[in-house]
Amino acid sequence: MGKTLTIRIGVDPRYGHDQSDELVVFKPIEGKDWKTVNVDTVSEKGILRAEEMGLVASGKADIIFAMDVNFASSHLFDRLNKGRILSIFRHPVDRLASKFYYLQSATWERTYRPEWADMSILEWAEKHNFDENFLVKKIVGKKLTDDAGMADLIIAKEIVRRRFIVGLLDEMEESVHRFN
């Protein structure tokens, strides 16, 4: 890959760059062909720190990982320093089924749900799945507790059309080629 990424490992105290006031590019894992910057663009706190340190304008990162695209976009990028969003989309039913099975056994996750192990996926979908229009809400910047309507869907589709490079999980090899 040969790229410089922003991922949580960049602020891992083991590497000694987590408290630095300056951007530091380093290789956390010997033998790998990628590097990282000492910022965490997955959390809001980390994004604000990256903004304060001038991450995007520095040109030190090739790929910036973020969970909240709207927050990252509004704090890291501007008219002079633009970015593109690379996203892997998955069929919503497949994503929810995966979530259901994964969170039954993922004891390390704060959203771990051992009680789901004793129910059918149909029962879960009907009574316990509150993951309605998750992606639309994330793209348009709504809270997960907000309602999303047809207008939000139209806006989300336009944002994806204009700002995203889309890959599909079911077509991973082709998606990776598209990103390159």
Side-chain angles (χ1 to χ4, degrees), residues 9-113:
I9 198 170
V11 292
D12 189 317
R14 291 180 290 176
Y15 302 105
H17 304 295
D18 57 310
Q19 299 300 316
S20 177
D21 292 332
E22 295 181 15
L23 292 169
V24 178
V25 175
F26 65 99
K27 196 172 206 174
I29 303 172
E30 282 304 316
K32 300 293 181 181
D33 69 342
W34 56 272
K35 298 174 190 169
T36 191
V37 183
N38 62 327
V39 293
D40 169 17
T41 53
V42 175
S43 70
E44 286 188 4
K45 180 181 175 186
I47 289 169
L48 293 173
R49 179 173 176 260
E51 175 186 31
E52 186 178 297
M53 295 172 79
L55 172 67
V56 174
S58 77
K60 292 187 177 192
D62 298 308
I63 300 173
I64 296 173
F65 286 90
M67 296 298 289
D68 187 335
V69 173
N70 288 302
F71 191 81
S73 295
S74 66
H75 288 278
L76 297 177
F77 300 97
D78 57 34
R79 292 177 152 244
L80 296 175
N81 302 289
K82 297 179 180 183
R84 294 282 288 175
I85 301 165
L86 308 178
S87 186
I88 300 286
F89 286 95
R90 186 177 193 181
H91 191 286
V93 173
D94 293 341
R95 187 181 65 77
L96 289 173
S98 178
K99 174 184 174 178
F100 170 70
Y101 291 114
Y102 174 74
L103 290 178
Q104 291 176 18
S105 59
T107 56
W108 54 91
E109 295 282 357
R110 65 177 176 75
T111 53
Y112 169 57
R113 297 290 185 267

Side-chain angles (χ1 to χ4, degrees), residues 90-159:
R90 186 177 193 181
H91 191 286
V93 173
D94 293 341
R95 187 181 65 77
L96 289 173
S98 178
K99 174 184 174 178
F100 170 70
Y101 291 114
Y102 174 74
L103 290 178
Q104 291 176 18
S105 59
T107 56
W108 54 91
E109 295 282 357
R110 65 177 176 75
T111 53
Y112 169 57
R113 297 290 185 267
E115 65 274 14
W116 290 358
D118 296 327
M119 68 179 69
S120 71
I121 193 165
L122 186 58
E123 177 187 353
W124 174 79
E126 290 174 346
K127 298 179 183 175
H128 301 279
N129 174 34
F130 303 107
D131 205 358
E132 194 171 296
N133 296 313
F134 166 79
L135 199 51
V136 170
K137 292 175 186 178
K138 286 295 264 182
I139 292 170
V140 300
K142 286 192 164 194
K143 294 180 181 170
L144 298 181
T145 54
D146 292 344
D147 288 330
M150 189 56 70
D152 296 309
L153 176 61
I154 292 167
I155 292 167
K157 287 168 63 175
E158 181 61 14
I159 291 170

